[in-house]
Amino acid sequence: MSLGEKVGEVAKSANTIFEGMAVTLSHMFREPITTQYPDRTERPVAEMLPPRYRGFLEVQIDICGGCKRCEKACPIDCIVVEMQKDPETKKMMLSRFDIDISKCMFCGLCVDACKGDATGAIRHTREFEGAVGTLDALVLRYIEPGKLHPLYKAPKDPEQVPVGEYGPHAREARERALRDNPALLQELRSKAAEAR
Ligand code: SF4
Ligand code: SF4
């Protein structure tokens, strides 16, 4: 390599370093694009979520009929529903209802399966904060190990189905009603406090 070529290479390297440093320095004077979470956001993040946000799953176990539609619908086997016979009553009972949130991709197929063909017992919440110490803590267990829970049987007569308590969208409807009616919410809270 001739001297002229060597000088050219050195100049090229110096230019590259200068360009890189210029980009780095320019970032020191720009407005930040990201916001530090959670304490420096303008509003709580939960308030900024879109209306149909799919957060962690939740099961209203008292209206689960154990049909396993949600378990079958899940493409990655996050949900495990098991049943066994109660030795005393000889009735089939739920013995396990686990959802492994660490695997869940929040596709909503389980929710659709339950809402469309069963009772609407499983649904997405708006909860998204899942920082825990162990992966096992992300397995949501709706039946305590060793315990049994009765299966929900919908009344044959549709008029017997408690309105606002059971059925597809029941919980959403109830929550919406409570949100829109603070007096009712207060009344229910007082009743719950008295019952304790
Ligand atoms: S589909 Fe619904 S009712 Fe059936 S097992 Fe799942 S949560 Fe329970
Ligand atoms: S949301 Fe999707 S991935 Fe998560 S448990 Fe339901 S079906 Fe499985």
Side-chain angles (χ1 to χ4, degrees):
M1 186 184 285
S2 68
L3 182 64
E5 282 172 338
K6 273 188 187 164
V7 171
E9 285 296 312
V10 170
K12 215 161 128 191
S13 303
N15 192 41
T16 307
I17 292 170
F18 177 77
E19 276 179 6
M21 290 309 291
V23 171
T24 306
L25 283 171
S26 73
H27 277 272
M28 293 179 74
F29 302 102
R30 286 185 204 173
E31 281 287 308
I33 294 169
T34 52
T35 308
Q36 280 198 38
Y37 169 83
D39 54 334
R40 295 200 194 160
T41 54
E42 283 171 25
R43 285 188 291 146
V45 177
E47 285 178 14
M48 297 189 268
L49 298 175
R52 291 194 292 164
Y53 178 78
R54 293 182 195 154
F56 287 170
L57 290 162
E58 163 182 270
V59 180
Q60 195 179 345
I61 204 71
D62 56 338
I63 57 165
C64 172
C67 64
K68 292 185 171 231
R69 283 187 172 91
C70 54
E71 186 190 69
K72 286 185 197 131
C74 180
I76 45 177
D77 301 334
C78 298
I79 303 176
V80 181
V81 182
E82 287 176 358
M83 273 159 288
Q84 68 183 58
K85 222 178 226 173
D86 185 330
E88 285 175 16
T89 64
K90 309 291 178 216
K91 283 186 177 168
M92 287 307 280
M93 307 274 274
L94 275 171
S95 57
R96 186 175 172 198
F97 199 125
D98 294 351
I99 305 177
D100 189 345
I101 285 292
S102 69
K103 290 198 293 185
C104 179
M105 58 181 175
F106 305 95
C107 63
L109 291 175
C110 55
V111 176
D112 287 346
C114 186
K115 204 154 57 180
D117 300 316
T119 63
I122 186 166
R123 62 158 211 158
H124 288 284
T125 64
R126 294 170 69 75
E127 184 56 57
F128 58 89
E129 290 182 321
V132 286
T134 62
L135 271 183
D136 189 59
L138 284 173
V139 180
L140 309 178
R141 299 182 205 283
Y142 288 91
I143 314 269
E144 271 181 58
K147 296 246 169 107
L148 297 175
H149 193 282
L151 298 172
Y152 173 69
K153 278 206 172 46
K156 286 208 178 90
D157 181 352
E159 291 197 359
Q160 297 286 312
V161 176
V163 177
E165 284 294 323
Y166 300 107
H169 311 297
R171 186 183 296 210
E172 283 88 342
R174 200 163 62 238
E175 282 179 356
R176 213 170 22 247
L178 288 176
R179 255 201 326 270
D180 297 345
N181 189 344
L184 178 59
L185 182 60
Q186 189 53 44
E187 189 188 323
L188 289 176
R189 279 188 181 148
S190 312
K191 276 189 191 159
E194 280 166 23
R196 264 187 238 131

